[in-house]
Amino acid sequence: MTQKILAAHAGLKAVKAGDLIEANLDLVLGNDVTVPPAIDVFYRTGATRVFDRDRIVMVPSHFAPNKDIKSAEHCKKMRLFAAAQAITHYYEQGSKGMGIEHVIVPENGLVLPGYCMIGADSHTCTDGALGAFATGVGSTDLGCAMATGQTWFKVPQAIRINLTGELRPHVAGKDLILYIIAKIGVDGALYRSMEYGGPGIAQLSMNDRLTICNMAIEAGGKNGIFPVDQVTLDYIREHAPQAYAEHRYQIFTADPDAEYVQTLDIDLAEVPLMVARPYLPENGADVRQVAASDPAAIQQVVIGSCTNGRYEDFKVAAELLRGRQVAEGVRCFIIPGSQAVYLRCLRDGLLADFVDAGCVVGPPTCGPCIGGHMGVLASEERCVSTTNRNFVGRMGSPESQTFLAGVPVACASAVMGRIASPDELPALVKA
Amino acid sequence: MSENLVQPSQTQANCLLSGKLYCYGDNVDTDVIIPARYLNTTDPAELARHCMEDLDADFAATVKPGDFIVAGQNFGSGSSREHAPVAIKASGIALVIAASFSRIFFRNAINMGLPILECPEAAAGIRPGDNLKVNLTEGWIENLSQHTRYQAAPFPEFIRRLMAADGLVGYVRGKYSFGPAEEAKA
Ligand code: SF4
């Protein structure tokens, strides 16, 4: 699929793995960390106007609401550039449609099946969930792409991940991707495309697919991609109604004889609830195993980020936290991924559930995911997080520890005060 | 602030590089190359002051212009932050040799002209303290201490063109002609 999308955008009949091509871009994305240096690059190319103001997305999501003067200056630089260039999809904090970049791009219907897009952020691969080619690049790429609407790619080899069977209760996309990364390692898909298929995908919601593609980069992958099916079409009908009605998307399918460097067969029923220990996302294991071998207390839980910060994630969280209490000694942060997610949680009463349970509810931001603000870890502190990276110092002090998990494990851990599976939660007594 | 962020490639043919080695293992990620807590700046000099801080606290204080980094698999994994190659370059590192690079790091390094060589044999064979002689254009590394020579795969033609154009910005400047300058807005 990836190869076909790339060929179409390079104006070529076909491409093969290893080819270096220059492709047209449907969408170009950047944030408050990567856009400011890209603006300098943009002017250094000699350009004065962006290639297409409707095809550039700019979001202040990392250190916004500004955590200090320097980050405020970065946001200001991006804001002024966006205004000068009349960028259509610039999302100011608090505005409708604002949020973490990879949450809002699909939510606002900005990415469509068949798109070829780059973002100066490694988790741009999230958008492959919609059958698009989406990959992360750096600020130089972003600056040049803002000028030209094109970029260069090396056509990747593909890994086929063939899914069958059904997920067990509570097990979701996050567990599956942690399971895959535990199997193939953090460089298991280096330079490669991770292409999902098989009968098992039909039951994966768009939320699951977005989580799975989000973490392609944690396996080293260039992109993750799902075929377009009814789930995809229903999603774009809801989120991009006009583009859907006008059929502005393109469905690419993998050839039956497509070449894969590796095929991974996974029976979804074999996937347990996962926890990835510090300091690599590949250190994943069954939560029961981790809980048994590591009963020490945790001090923080984070539920949010571009990996697990969508409405469905908070719905699951509320079901587990409603009527329960966050353990003493644990700070539990709930960070909706976008204004729309926040509003829906608010209207449906989920935020009240969280506050009742003893959580802190924050505004849509990357915040603690990169140890930026709003939940930075001190030394010796241990955190269970639904984010995507547990590197040394990722969420704060280099002596802190982050355990990656899905929403149910994060909630159970918040209540138990240690790494725990939702099965361990005491039953709620009905009043 | 910006001028140094994307410097033209300094890779000269046949240049003899030699320097002190900083040897690291696999999966050196961008969060240890430059921790996110410093991403509120793009100033290369300041980034360099915190380069490798969470992995090797002595690095920033001891590194000298012309030194090398030698590392294992998947160097530069993690985020897309160009601050990582910028920090390494600004700290004076002349060349990074690794068994493999994460793809975004690879791309960023090429785009901004930080010399890199991908060579598993070299990454495995080189010991701290070895003296190296390197030819970037031809991709060979001579280990003067061990009397061995390693050959990295040469860069493909397109990437050599990028490098010859002083990185991606130079390439784009040469290839595209943009509208008149009076339209420019700062
Ligand atoms: S939530 Fe975390 S991983 Fe996602 S874009 Fe923000 S910082 Fe990056």
Side-chain angles (χ1 to χ4, degrees):
Chain A
M1 274 183 85
T2 296
Q3 297 192 359
K4 285 192 183 170
I5 297 177
L6 288 176
H9 286 80
L12 299 168
K13 270 212 191 65
V15 295
K16 56 181 190 325
D19 287 356
L20 282 150
I21 56 157
E22 287 178 270
N24 293 319
L25 298 167
D26 297 305
L27 202 65
V28 173
L29 167 69
N31 60 49
D32 51 322
V33 171
T34 55
V35 169
I39 292 172
D40 302 320
V41 171
F42 171 81
Y43 287 121
R44 289 187 56 220
T45 64
T48 56
R49 304 297 303 171
V50 296
F51 79 103
D52 184 344
R53 69 189 193 95
D54 293 331
R55 292 190 177 274
I56 295 175
V57 183
M58 292 185 178
V59 197
S61 62
H62 279 63
F63 296 114
N66 310 136
K67 81 150 186 159
D68 56 17
I69 298 170
K70 284 181 188 164
S71 49
E73 295 294 343
H74 282 176
C75 287
K76 178 178 160 190
K77 183 170 179 173
M78 176 162 80
R79 182 178 304 121
L80 293 178
F81 181 83
Q85 298 282 338
I87 301 291
T88 318
H89 302 292
Y90 168 74
Y91 291 99
E92 190 52 270
Q93 298 152 63
S95 68
K96 198 163 179 270
M98 189 270 164
I100 299 170
E101 49 189 329
H102 313 301
V103 175
I104 64 170
V105 166
E107 185 180 275
N108 295 341
L110 303 180
V111 57
L112 294 172
Y115 264 25
C116 174
M117 66 175 284
I118 58 167
D121 190 282
S122 54
H123 292 103
T124 303
C125 49
T126 310
D127 297 302
L130 283 100
F133 172 79
T135 192
V137 298
S139 289
T140 301
D141 285 301
L142 174 62
C144 292
M146 289 196 305
T148 66
Q150 297 187 321
T151 199
W152 64 277
F153 292 117
K154 188 168 164 195
V155 177
Q157 296 178 317
I159 298 181
R160 158 98 178 179
I161 300 161
N162 196 33
L163 304 175
T164 54
E166 265 185 60
L167 289 171
R168 294 195 304 220
H170 289 310
V171 177
K174 180 62 161 288
D175 304 291
L176 173 59
I177 187 66
L178 288 176
Y179 185 74
I180 292 170
I181 298 169
K183 262 184 188 293
I184 66 176
V186 290
D187 59 356
L190 195 56
Y191 303 125
R192 292 173 177 169
S193 164
M194 300 171 79
E195 310 212 348
Y196 294 87
I201 62 167
Q203 54 158 315
L204 295 175
S205 68
M206 188 48 71
N207 188 42
D208 284 324
R209 297 178 189 193
L210 289 163
T211 304
I212 292 165
C213 288
N214 176 267
M215 290 189 70
I217 180 72
E218 273 66 51
K222 183 170 196 138
N223 67 314
I225 192 165
F226 271 84
V228 177
D229 62 4
Q230 200 52 45
V231 173
T232 328
L233 295 175
D234 289 347
Y235 186 89
I236 57 165
R237 191 172 52 218
E238 186 185 342
H239 292 270
Q242 203 174 341
Y244 178 78
E246 293 167 9
H247 211 282
R248 269 194 272 126
Y249 56 90
Q250 225 185 328
I251 299 177
F252 291 88
T253 45
D255 290 333
D257 60 345
E259 260 183 47
Y260 299 102
V261 278
Q262 190 186 350
T263 302
L264 217 59
D265 288 304
I266 294 177
D267 175 1
L268 294 173
E270 82 197 32
V271 180
L273 285 164
M274 296 285 290
V275 174
R277 296 186 179 97
Y279 289 105
L280 283 176
E282 72 183 16
N283 296 339
D286 188 324
V287 64
R288 288 167 298 188
Q289 219 175 306
V290 180
S293 65
D294 190 350
I298 57 165
Q299 287 73 37
Q300 184 167 306
V301 168
V302 172
I303 300 174
S305 85
C306 58
T307 318
N308 286 112
R310 286 169 291 270
Y311 178 76
E312 293 74 10
D313 296 307
F314 296 106
K315 200 156 175 268
V316 170
E319 273 153 26
L320 287 166
L321 291 174
R322 194 177 296 132
R324 296 194 167 99
Q325 282 296 312
V326 171
E328 214 173 300
V330 177
R331 311 173 296 268
C332 180
F333 295 97
I334 302 280
I335 305 181
S338 71
Q339 286 288 93
V341 172
Y342 193 101
L343 192 59
R344 212 171 148 196
C345 290
L346 181 71
R347 292 214 166 113
D348 292 357
L350 307 189
L351 299 190
D353 293 332
F354 295 136
V355 174
D356 274 341
C359 304
V360 180
V361 179
T365 179
C366 294
C369 172
I370 33 162
H373 56 151
M374 299 202 189
V376 178
L377 295 172
S379 57
E380 317 287 317
E381 289 192 325
R382 291 151 45 90
C383 174
V384 176
S385 179
T386 68
T387 54
N388 48 39
R389 290 194 175 132
N390 56 355
F391 300 152
V392 174
R394 169 74 178 185
M395 295 183 77
S397 162
E399 283 101 50
S400 65
Q401 295 194 327
T402 297
F403 296 80
L404 303 176
V407 174
V409 168
C411 291
S413 305
V415 172
M416 304 298 286
R418 56 171 174 81
I419 293 162
S421 152
D423 307 330
E424 298 179 58
L425 286 173
L428 288 174
V429 207
K430 291 219 174 71
Chain B
M1 172 195 88
S2 56
E3 273 311 289
N4 300 337
L5 194 55
V6 186
Q7 275 208 343
S9 159
Q10 314 269 307
T11 40
Q12 291 133 10
N14 298 312
C15 69
L16 175 92
L17 298 172
S18 55
K20 189 176 149 221
L21 307 184
Y22 288 85
C23 295
Y24 303 113
D26 292 343
N27 300 314
V28 173
D29 62 73
T30 53
D31 277 282
V32 297
I33 296 173
I34 185 71
R37 56 186 178 277
Y38 304 119
L39 293 188
N40 59 1
T41 181
T42 48
D43 174 24
E46 191 178 341
L47 291 171
R49 274 199 290 283
H50 302 291
C51 191
M52 296 291 176
E53 193 171 283
D54 288 354
L55 177 68
D56 177 357
D58 298 332
F59 178 87
T62 57
V63 66
K64 297 219 168 38
D67 289 351
F68 296 166
I69 288 176
V70 180
Q73 301 281 353
N74 204 18
F75 184 87
S77 57
S79 98
S80 68
R81 63 189 70 152
E82 213 155 279
H83 310 65
V86 168
I88 292 176
K89 194 172 174 190
S91 68
I93 288 291
L95 169 68
V96 183
I97 300 169
S100 65
F101 291 90
S102 89
R103 62 159 281 276
I104 302 181
F105 186 93
F106 179 90
R107 188 178 177 101
N108 285 342
I110 299 285
N111 282 346
M112 57 162 287
L114 169 71
I116 55 173
L117 281 179
E118 192 165 74
C119 184
E121 296 77 28
I126 295 170
R127 300 269 163 272
D130 282 356
N131 276 318
L132 307 181
K133 186 174 157 185
V134 178
N135 180 310
L136 284 174
T137 320
E138 291 164 21
W140 52 257
I141 301 160
E142 203 169 306
N143 192 329
L144 303 171
S145 310
Q146 297 186 32
H147 309 289
T148 37
R149 188 179 159 117
Y150 320 100
Q151 181 67 50
F155 288 119
E157 160 70 21
F158 178 76
I159 290 184
R160 283 210 302 271
R161 246 190 295 154
L162 280 184
M163 292 176 133
D166 286 345
L168 187 62
V169 174
Y171 176 78
V172 166
R173 278 191 85 98
K175 182 175 165 194
Y176 298 81
S177 61
F178 296 104
E182 59 265 23
E183 269 188 63
K185 286 189 183 169

